[in-house]
Structures are given as structure tokens and as C-alpha cells.
Amino acid sequence: MSVDSLWSKIDLSVKGTPAPGTTNNAGEPKDKSKAKAWPKWEVRLLDTIGSLVWLCISVKLFIFDFDNYLVERFLPGSTSVLSYRFLFVGGILVLLVLFTRGRRLKCTYIGLFPFVVVFWKVPKWFYKAESCVAVFTFLNVASIALRHLKWNAATRFCAILSLVGVAASGNQVVLGLCASCLGIYFILLMARTIWFSVKSSHFLKSQKMLIDKFSSASFVTQITAVSPELRDSALQKFSAAQLATFQTNLGMAVLVSRATYYWAYQLEKYRTSAASLILSAIAYASLYVQGVVVFSMINWAILKMDPAAFSYSRDPVFLQAAYYSLFHGAGSALSPVSGAAVAVKIAANVVAPLFITALVTQFLINRRQVEQDAAAEEAVKKIKAAGAELEKRFKREYEVSTEEAIARLQALGENFFLTAITAMSAQLPSDYDAE
């Protein structure tokens, strides 16, 4: 069907005809009862309260039973009250819901604060930042966390359990097992950190698979195609509803085409940004801190198992063992004596050069950036090729280019698709789709 026979069915005069049973409310005053936005100070206060409440809940559940401690410390004869704490907390919540009226939403805000952060605060921050590099960085971190969730959960749990064992136990067998577990954990952590710092990002490689699935998905074909009803040769003019359907189909098709090129362009910006170096710096900083903690606990376990393993002038405390366990360890009050203590010190002295070498390699040789350049460049080419294929499909379906389609959308009137298309097109370099 020729472009004239398709586009000649458009009659803009039908857009001004109201649907049966509807009235024009343009002249009606706006509803003054619309809820006002909360003041900034009130939002910050609620954020502070929500953070404190959920911090207390997290500490109570996973770290320290502070309410038992406080009652036993200051009200030793009232410990039986703690058996009814659930009723006490539940009563407070019921009273807040019943008698606070306009503050019920604020109570809900505090009660669901973790979901507010995940589904509102974080997306809002990305929106205000107006940087897709931050979005890609967040998605990269999230994909790594999800991809290695089982490994991280298992190893971190074993490490935390070993830390607790060293701190709380006095049994030599338990101390030895926990110290060995911490040593194995750090070796694996160091190997993985160095390995992931020099290999190409799985997140960038996954973009190629994602664009393949996206471009070949049936729903993409459906939302970008012209409805068979609108192509019917017996149809002379679009009705208001049919024109709205055609406008929606056209806008969606242009949006998908522009979004594909926008995706490729933002991925290319992410490739040339310092995001990968920042993530690597954070990973190495975390490795350093965890290394100090691990060696501190191993040396503390050795000291608890055999006080004669070190020479010292006065009974050492944990902070002295931690200072001794730093990768330089100069001027420490402890000196290794036993074979185990000397072996751990040698291991720390070996780890320090390895750590520095890996760090210098990361930031000077910059192998990761080289690998990511290749992976990202291939992903960008793949996405742009998919965009070109979508452009061809669009021309076959609507018999106009996307640029001409945007002009016709403007003639049809403002809508959400046109706003989004204009915003994305403004950020794309000229003739980006022709590269």
C-alpha cells in the first residue's frame, strides 16, 4: 500500500470531536483539595526517622539484642516485660494508624522505608543526576551482585562465622579452624578481585545478548507495526479513535527506533567514562580493609591459642594485634616468635607486594579498560546494527523515515511519545544513526 493511501486516511478535524457522553471540562476550576507536597525539612526528618528505625531493626535482628541489654543494665528487675514487647510495639502502631489521620501516610512511609529507598529514592536520584553513566554503573554493580549472589553469600557467611568464632571462642581447635577459614577466604577474595579487575566486563558482553532478544522479541514487532484494521483498503478516513491508535503505533515505533540508538550512544559514553576505574578502586579498597581485618583476627587467634607465639613487653590487646597486622606493621609492640606467627607475617609481607603490583597494573597498564573497550565497542556496534534493522523495518511498515515520522507526529499533536523522542534525539550527535 502506498504512503498516500495510508497517510491520506488522516483527517485532523476528527481530533476536535468529543467522544459521546463526554463534556468539555477545560473551563472548570482545578480541584483545590489536591494534596500538597511535603516540605523538604519534613521529608528529611522522615528519612532520618526511617533510617534510625530500620537501623535499630537490623541491629536487633542480625547483630546485637540491645533492648535486652538496656533493660538488664538499667532495669534488672523488669526483664519479664520483654516477653510482651510485640504487643507493646503493635499497640503503638495501631494507635498511630487510628489517631494520626493525615499522618497515616507518613507512618506508612517510615514502615516501608526500605521499599521507598529502592523504588523511589534511587530512581529519583538517577533522574535528577541526568546521567546514564550512573545508571549503567548501578546496573553493572547490580548484575555482578546477582550473578555471584550464591558465592558471595556463602563465603561472607563463613567469614563472619569465623570472625565470631575467633572473637568468642577459647577452644584451640575452633580457633585454628576459624583462622584457617579466614585465610582461605582472603586468598580466594584476592584472586577473584585481581581476576575481575583484568577481565572484560560480563555486563558489557550481556548487552549483545540483550539487544538480540529485544530486537527479535514478538512484542517489539507488535507495538511497532501498523494495525491491520488501519490498513484495510475499505477504510477511507480514520475515526478519532483510529487516529489515536495510529498515532500511538507510530509514536511507539519511532520511540523504539530512537531508544535503540540512544541505548548505543549512552553505552559508548559509559565505555569512555571512569566508572570502571572507580569500581576497581572501590574493590581494591575493600580488599585492603578486609585483608587487615583477616590478618588481625588470624594473629589474634594465634595469640589466644599460644600467648608465647609473640614477644611483647605487656599483655597485648586486640588493637595492638590489628596494628601489627597492617601490611607495613612497622613499630608494632608485637614480634613473631612461633612458626605459625612467623608464617602469617611472611604471608602478609607477600600479600602487600602482590596488592601493590595488582593496583599499579590496574591503573597504569589499565588492561581492564582495553578489554572493556573491545567488549563495549562490539556491543555498541551490535546495538547500532539492531537500530539500523529496526529503521528498515519501520520504513517498510510506515513507508517514511523516522525523521519524517517525527515531523508528522508533531503535526498530529503533542503526546508522551513525542516528548520522550525529542528528549532522546536532543542528546544524540547529529547523524549518529548514519555512522
Side-chain angles (χ1 to χ4, degrees), residues 162 176-189 294-295 298:
S162 299
L177 290 175
C178 291
S180 301
C181 182
L182 287 173
I184 294 172
Y185 165 76
F186 183 73
I187 291 173
L188 294 175
L189 179 66
V294 165
F295 279 106
I298 291 176

Side-chain angles (χ1 to χ4, degrees), residues 114-387:
F115 296 97
V116 173
V117 172
V118 173
F119 296 106
W120 173 247
K121 295 287 185 182
V122 173
K124 183 180 178 182
W125 181 84
F126 283 134
Y127 176 77
K128 286 187 174 181
E130 296 182 353
S131 172
C132 285
V133 173
V135 176
F136 275 115
T137 303
F138 174 78
L139 293 176
N140 189 5
V141 173
S143 67
I144 293 174
L146 292 175
R147 188 164 177 257
H148 303 284
L149 180 60
K150 292 182 180 180
W151 169 267
N152 290 331
T155 54
R156 264 59 173 187
F157 177 78
C158 292
I160 293 173
L161 193 63
S162 299
L163 291 175
V164 174
V166 172
S169 177
N171 185 280
Q172 292 192 358
V173 175
V174 174
L175 289 171
L177 290 175
C178 291
S180 301
C181 182
L182 287 173
I184 294 172
Y185 165 76
F186 183 73
I187 291 173
L188 294 175
L189 179 66
M190 183 174 62
R192 286 172 64 85
T193 301
I194 296 175
W195 169 248
F196 285 126
S197 68
V198 299
K199 68 173 294 190
S200 59
S201 172
H202 181 270
F203 172 75
L204 292 174
K205 290 182 178 179
S206 67
Q207 300 301 302
K208 295 186 294 180
M209 297 183 290
L210 188 59
I211 190 59
D212 284 335
K213 293 181 179 179
F214 175 79
S215 59
S216 61
S218 58
F219 82 93
V220 174
T221 303
Q222 293 174 0
I223 64 177
T224 58
V226 179
S227 173
E229 175 190 357
L230 303 181
R231 283 194 175 277
D232 189 358
S233 58
L235 180 64
Q236 298 298 319
K237 294 289 182 180
F238 292 150
S239 64
Q242 291 171 333
L243 180 59
T245 300
F246 176 77
Q247 185 177 358
T248 300
N249 292 344
L250 178 64
M252 182 62 75
V254 177
L255 181 63
V256 169
S257 177
R258 292 290 91 186
T260 304
Y261 284 112
Y262 183 78
W263 179 5
Y265 178 63
Q266 295 300 334
L267 186 62
E268 196 168 2
K269 287 178 63 178
Y270 175 75
R271 174 181 65 86
T272 58
S273 71
S276 62
L277 294 179
I278 294 174
L279 292 179
S280 293
I282 294 174
Y284 276 98
S286 174
L287 177 65
Y288 180 84
V289 172
Q290 292 186 70
V292 172
V293 172
V294 165
F295 279 106
S296 299
M297 296 305 290
I298 291 176
N299 285 313
W300 187 245
I302 294 174
L303 189 61
K304 290 176 72 174
M305 288 188 294
D306 181 13
F310 297 89
S311 64
Y312 42 86
S313 57
R314 63 180 65 180
D315 291 340
V317 295
F318 176 75
L319 288 179
Q320 290 177 325
Y323 180 72
Y324 164 81
S325 302
L326 290 171
F327 289 148
H328 51 85
S332 173
L334 297 177
S335 297
V337 174
S338 70
V342 171
V344 172
K345 188 60 178 176
I346 292 174
N349 291 335
V350 170
V351 166
L354 284 178
F355 179 87
I356 295 173
T357 302
L359 192 63
V360 171
T361 301
Q362 170 63 21
F363 288 96
L364 296 184
I365 301 178
N366 205 1
R367 170 70 182 277
R368 178 179 174 85
Q369 192 65 37
V370 174
E371 293 287 345
Q372 289 207 154
D373 281 346
E377 186 177 357
E378 189 176 352
V380 169
K381 288 181 179 179
K382 187 74 174 179
I383 296 173
K384 291 181 70 174

